[in-house]
Amino acid sequence: MSDLALTQPVPLAIARGNGKRSLRIVQSLCILVIALVMISPLFMLLIASLKDDRFRILADMGSFRAFWVSDPTLSNYKEIAHFSGELAYGRYLFNSLAILVATVVSGLVINSMAGFVLAWGSLRGKAALLALVVALYVIPQESIIMPLVVMMSRAGLTDTFAVQILPWVASPLYVFLFYQFFAQLPKELYEAAEMDGASAFRIYRSIYMPLSLPALATVSILMGIESWNQYLWPTLVTQTDYARPIAVAIATFFGQDSIYWDRAMAASVLMMIPVLILYLAFQRWFVSSFVGSAVKG
């Protein structure tokens, strides 16, 4: 009896169950490996910022000691958290936050209004304007950056907060994103409000903007990250510490004679926190916007 049982084929349902279980294990292992690869640089950055010896940080890089600290300290953060003096990275962080908030808030208003006009406005040549907006998006920013520098210099805006905000408030990408979102809303919504006597601006402000939370969240995060990571433009248009952002200030740790890895790591951690908070605040709408775009696309 036992010999017969051993020679019987494995039932198909059991074989499929074992196959699915094996597939799930392989998928989980792949996700775990990808997560470790993505998180390991951030973890190494955090650990290095808690070490008080820059030569030790440099020596630990490339080995498992980079992921461990025996005597953690916050001395690096204390050294750079000042609003005045040589290591005034608190001020640089404040400058970056002010530029980010002003750019995102004004950018949401201007880009959403442009997208609304392209979607529901009665302008002639809307199709040509939309084609122009899309065409402008493919032009690299670096190709127009020198004329922009000259224009800002002639306007007397060099070394100010305004010079880091105004050129990046309007973007073809974000205008197109808002246009695409508004154009997908029902036409009857606009016509019903228009029949009730609402003006175009009131329809935009009271009806379409409250419905566009996913688009607002997506543009806020993308625009915030773009503004926060600006390096080339602030380097060209700022000469003093007055309005210099933290992305440019971190470069001062990498001098010709020595590199201050400890302070640079602490400043990098501080630089990372605001954009993480921005993402977590809008995460729900950001993910739903991307999932919806993928499904519709």
Side-chain angles (χ1 to χ4, degrees):
M1 184 66 182
S2 59
D3 293 340
L4 287 175
L6 290 173
T7 57
Q8 285 180 352
V10 178
L12 184 60
I14 298 177
R16 286 179 176 173
N18 291 335
K20 289 182 179 178
R21 193 179 303 113
S22 301
L23 180 61
R24 283 198 294 269
I25 292 174
V26 172
Q27 289 175 340
S28 301
L29 288 174
C30 290
I31 293 173
L32 180 63
V33 171
I34 293 172
L36 288 175
V37 170
M38 295 178 66
I39 292 175
S40 57
L42 299 177
F43 187 67
M44 187 180 76
L45 173 68
L46 181 62
I47 293 297
S49 71
L50 300 176
K51 297 177 180 177
D52 60 351
D53 188 347
R54 57 192 168 104
F55 299 107
R56 181 179 168 188
I57 293 173
L58 187 61
D60 290 346
M61 286 185 181
S63 68
F64 286 105
R65 289 178 299 181
F67 301 95
W68 173 253
V69 54
S70 57
D71 49 350
T73 175
L74 296 177
S75 60
N76 296 325
Y77 294 95
K78 292 178 182 176
E79 286 184 16
I80 64 173
H82 300 290
F83 283 85
S84 62
E86 185 181 357
L87 299 176
Y89 287 85
R91 176 179 178 80
Y92 299 134
L93 193 62
F94 173 80
N95 291 346
S96 293
L97 284 171
I99 294 167
L100 181 145
V101 172
T103 305
V104 170
V105 172
S106 54
L108 288 177
V109 175
I110 292 176
N111 293 306
S112 64
M113 290 181 74
F116 179 78
V117 170
L118 285 173
W120 298 109
S122 56
L123 294 175
R124 290 183 179 178
K126 280 197 308 182
L129 276 175
L130 184 61
L132 179 63
V133 167
V134 176
L136 288 174
Y137 173 64
V138 302
I139 297 176
Q141 288 185 354
E142 287 73 12
S143 64
I144 61 170
I145 206 161
M146 292 316 297
L148 268 178
V149 171
V150 175
M151 289 171 63
M152 294 296 119
S153 177
R154 294 285 177 85
L157 295 176
T158 304
D159 208 20
T160 63
F161 285 96
V163 75
Q164 299 177 74
I165 298 170
L166 292 177
W168 315 115
V169 164
S171 166
L173 172 63
Y174 306 137
V175 171
F176 182 73
L177 286 177
F178 275 114
Y179 158 79
Q180 197 175 30
F181 185 84
F182 288 140
Q184 291 171 354
L185 294 177
K187 185 180 179 181
E188 292 77 11
L189 197 64
Y190 186 92
E191 292 176 343
E194 200 174 31
M195 289 178 66
D196 287 341
S199 63
F201 180 72
R202 186 176 177 187
I203 296 172
Y204 154 80
R205 185 194 62 188
S206 304
I207 299 177
Y208 280 78
M209 286 303 285
L211 294 174
S212 62
L213 280 178
L216 290 170
T218 303
V219 173
S220 297
I221 292 177
L222 295 178
M223 184 175 272
I225 292 173
E226 185 181 8
S227 170
W228 193 259
N229 292 333
Q230 284 277 0
Y231 178 78
L232 177 60
W233 179 250
T235 304
L236 293 173
V237 297
T238 59
Q239 285 82 43
T240 67
D241 297 338
Y242 169 70
R244 183 163 288 174
I246 191 168
V248 178
I250 286 178
T252 60
F253 289 123
F254 298 88
Q256 294 181 347
D257 300 328
S258 58
I259 300 176
Y260 297 91
W261 291 103
D262 46 356
R263 298 170 185 173
M265 296 294 180
S268 299
V269 172
L270 292 178
M271 183 180 172
M272 189 171 54
I273 292 174
V275 286
L276 282 178
I277 294 174
L278 179 67
Y279 170 74
L280 292 175
F282 295 103
Q283 178 192 13
R284 183 160 58 95
W285 297 291
F286 182 71
V287 173
S288 65
S289 175
F290 267 90
V291 171
S293 300
V295 171
K296 290 170 186 173

